[in-house]
Amino acid sequence: MTAPEPPGPRGVWRLAYPLLIAGLTQITVNIVDTVLLARLSSGALGAFSLAAPVYLIALIVVRGWATAVQVQVARRHGAGRPDEVARVVRTGVLTALAAGAAVGAVLYAAATPVLLLLGAPEDILGRATAYLHVLAWAVPFAAVSFTLQGACAGIGATRAAMYHALLVNAVNLPVGLLLVFRAGLGVTGAALATLAATAAGCGYLLLYARRRLPRAVGRSGDPREVRRELWRIGWPEMSTLGIGYLNEALLAGFAARMGTHELAAHRIVDNLLLVVFTALASGASAITVLAGRELGGGDRERADAWQHAGARLLLLLLAVPSVLVLAFGRPLISLVTADPAVAAAAWETTPLALLSMAPMVLAMARGALLRAAGDTRALMVASVISDYVLLIPLGWFLGLGLGLGLPGLYLAWTAFAVLYAGLVHLRHARFTRPSPELKLPPRQSTTTET
């Protein structure tokens, strides 16, 4: 019998690096659409810029469900119960498909009213609505894809997410070029390319999951009980993602009140931070999988050991891109914008923005362990308290009230991160007593490939 791998940063990295590549590759999908439509016309870019965040909200609603599936699969895989893994995946995928269809239908019906509520000008309303009408059909494919990626990650097959992201980009770029320019479909063409890429990625994951994930034997088990457990973990995750997106919009609104240059600089700095956050999130997701396996097997000490090992990796994942940004950020920002005032404002704010991510290393490592235990509600509460006690009021007060501008916003981000990390750490400190939901039946022998 092979001895279990001792917890260490290398083990976390082995699961994290495919997720990191997948995350960075996914970012390029939005960049490709932005570049294509910017070359077409300012009206096309405006329609895309207004409609794309609405589609993102629809994706956020269904993405939290995938986290619940990942956690449940990891725990049952760690307990050596392949039949339960199969039932969780089957229930998760069917529910994701139904939820995705429902969310897509709402998106289709509400597209025009929502865009009007956001103040869409008449000249771009039709194109923005067409964009959302096309992508409403993509939401079920995306929901199933998120769920299958979570399930594959739960058994350690994180490369599925990487291959999926690469395939999506390989489809999106050439189809986008063909439909946007050659076929002359403009914004609708970009949406159709995204739909085709999303459907192709979903098809690939279905084939991959069929080969790698275990299959249920018999029909034992109540899918309603599985669904309730997934919902218990999933709804706080969905809420946290949705509230976080709302707060991003509020802070962008604060930057807009400061001036056009500040708003543009804020967007540049946020994109730089997105790369850093993607690196940290990939490591945190790997911690959740590894800790979930140990919790499923009933070993809390090893679960916490993976959390500590992951925290060391997260420090490295923060330090390396931060050093690169500080070393090459000024010329990189100059490539993004030709406006010296915008470049100066972005560069002045960058070091403070990177500093605001430091407390998130502790928060994301501890939070990954709590998420593996299914305690997503504690993370939601900590996030909401930190958002509305510090981030939003302090961002307004420092950025606009005291006139500190963008540095004031990122000082508020730093205060948020410190409070959030403290609250998550306190919850982690209580993670000592056995929890009923972690008591799984004894491990079964299995030959399932992991």
Side-chain angles (χ1 to χ4, degrees), residues 25-35 48 52 131 172 267:
T25 306
Q26 279 296 115
I27 293 173
T28 64
V29 173
N30 186 64
I31 294 174
V32 166
D33 287 346
T34 301
V35 171
F48 169 75
Y131 181 87
N172 186 65
R267 183 62 179 168

Side-chain angles (χ1 to χ4, degrees), residues 57-106:
I57 292 174
L59 296 186
I60 285 173
V61 171
V62 296
R63 185 148 205 167
W65 184 258
T67 299
V69 171
Q70 176 180 297
V71 169
Q72 289 294 322
V73 167
R75 280 168 31 181
R76 279 149 179 76
H77 181 66
R81 301 185 63 81
D83 282 354
E84 290 192 8
V85 169
R87 281 191 287 274
V88 168
V89 174
R90 182 172 59 194
T91 302
V93 168
L94 291 176
T95 306
L97 179 61
V103 172
V106 171

Side-chain angles (χ1 to χ4, degrees), residues 394-405:
L394 194 60
W396 174 273
F397 177 69
L398 295 178
L400 295 172
L402 293 184
L404 297 182

Side-chain angles (χ1 to χ4, degrees), residues 359-360 362-364 366 370 378 382 385-386 390 414-430:
M360 293 302 292
L362 174 68
M364 295 179 78
R366 298 284 197 267
L370 294 176
I385 291 174
S386 304
L390 282 182
T414 304
F416 158 85
V418 170
L419 177 58
Y420 178 67
L423 292 173
V424 172
H425 178 71
L426 289 175
R427 182 63 179 176
H428 171 267
R430 297 175 57 190

Side-chain angles (χ1 to χ4, degrees), residues 45-418:
L45 181 59
F48 169 75
S49 299
L50 190 65
V54 179
Y55 175 59
L56 180 60
I57 292 174
L59 296 186
I60 285 173
V61 171
V62 296
R63 185 148 205 167
W65 184 258
T67 299
V69 171
Q70 176 180 297
V71 169
Q72 289 294 322
V73 167
R75 280 168 31 181
R76 279 149 179 76
H77 181 66
R81 301 185 63 81
D83 282 354
E84 290 192 8
V85 169
R87 281 191 287 274
V88 168
V89 174
R90 182 172 59 194
T91 302
V93 168
L94 291 176
T95 306
L97 179 61
V103 172
V106 171
L107 179 63
Y108 191 97
T112 299
V114 169
L115 292 170
L116 287 172
L117 184 64
L118 293 174
E122 189 66 32
D123 60 325
I124 69 170
L125 177 61
R127 285 176 285 181
T129 300
Y131 181 87
L132 292 179
H133 281 173
V134 171
L135 287 186
W137 296 94
V139 177
F141 294 113
V144 172
S145 295
F146 292 150
T147 302
L148 290 174
Q149 287 180 65
C152 290
I155 66 166
T158 54
R159 290 188 180 186
M162 178 178 68
Y163 298 145
H164 168 267
L166 293 172
L167 174 62
V168 166
N169 273 272
V171 173
N172 186 65
L173 178 57
V175 176
L177 287 170
L178 177 66
L179 296 179
V180 171
F181 296 107
R182 182 66 64 87
L185 296 179
V187 176
T188 302
L192 287 169
T194 301
L195 171 59
T198 305
C202 182
Y204 164 75
L205 285 172
L206 286 169
L207 293 174
Y208 188 96
R210 184 178 179 84
R211 181 172 62 88
R212 292 297 305 270
L213 295 176
R215 301 184 187 182
V217 178
R219 300 181 60 84
S220 60
D222 185 358
R224 290 175 296 181
E225 182 62 31
V226 174
R227 199 176 294 115
R228 279 194 293 269
E229 183 65 12
L230 290 173
W231 176 248
R232 184 185 67 81
I233 298 172
W235 79 260
E237 194 76 7
M238 299 177 198
S239 301
T240 303
L241 291 171
I243 292 170
Y245 184 79
L246 172 63
N247 292 333
E248 281 286 342
L250 289 174
L251 292 174
F254 295 169
R257 288 175 176 267
M258 297 171 192
T260 304
H261 289 158
E262 286 77 7
L263 178 59
H266 179 261
R267 183 62 179 168
I268 292 172
V269 175
D270 257 14
N271 283 332
L272 291 175
L273 285 186
L274 179 60
V275 175
V276 177
F277 185 82
T278 299
L280 295 179
S282 66
S285 184
I287 297 171
T288 297
V289 171
L290 293 164
R293 287 185 189 175
E294 303 298 346
L295 293 174
D299 195 333
R300 282 176 172 268
E301 290 187 4
R302 278 180 60 85
D304 202 33
W306 279 115
Q307 181 268 139
H308 287 290
R312 297 198 298 273
L313 176 65
L314 293 188
L315 278 174
L316 186 62
L317 290 174
L318 173 63
V320 171
S322 296
V323 169
L324 292 174
V325 167
L326 293 175
F328 304 105
R330 189 187 292 271
L332 180 62
I333 291 172
S334 298
L335 290 175
V336 175
T337 177
D339 190 323
V342 173
W347 178 245
E348 177 188 15
T349 310
T350 297
L352 186 57
L354 291 172
L355 177 64
S356 72
M357 298 299 294
M360 293 302 292
V361 169
L362 174 68
M364 295 179 78
R366 298 284 197 267
L369 179 58
L370 294 176
R371 190 172 283 110
D375 195 4
T376 52
R377 185 178 299 184
L379 299 177
M380 178 189 70
V381 171
S383 178
V384 170
I385 291 174
S386 304
D387 283 334
Y388 296 110
V389 170
L390 282 182
L391 177 59
I392 300 304
L394 194 60
W396 174 273
F397 177 69
L398 295 178
L400 295 172
L402 293 184
L404 297 182
L406 289 183
L409 290 188
Y410 287 101
L411 281 172
W413 262 116
T414 304
F416 158 85
V418 170

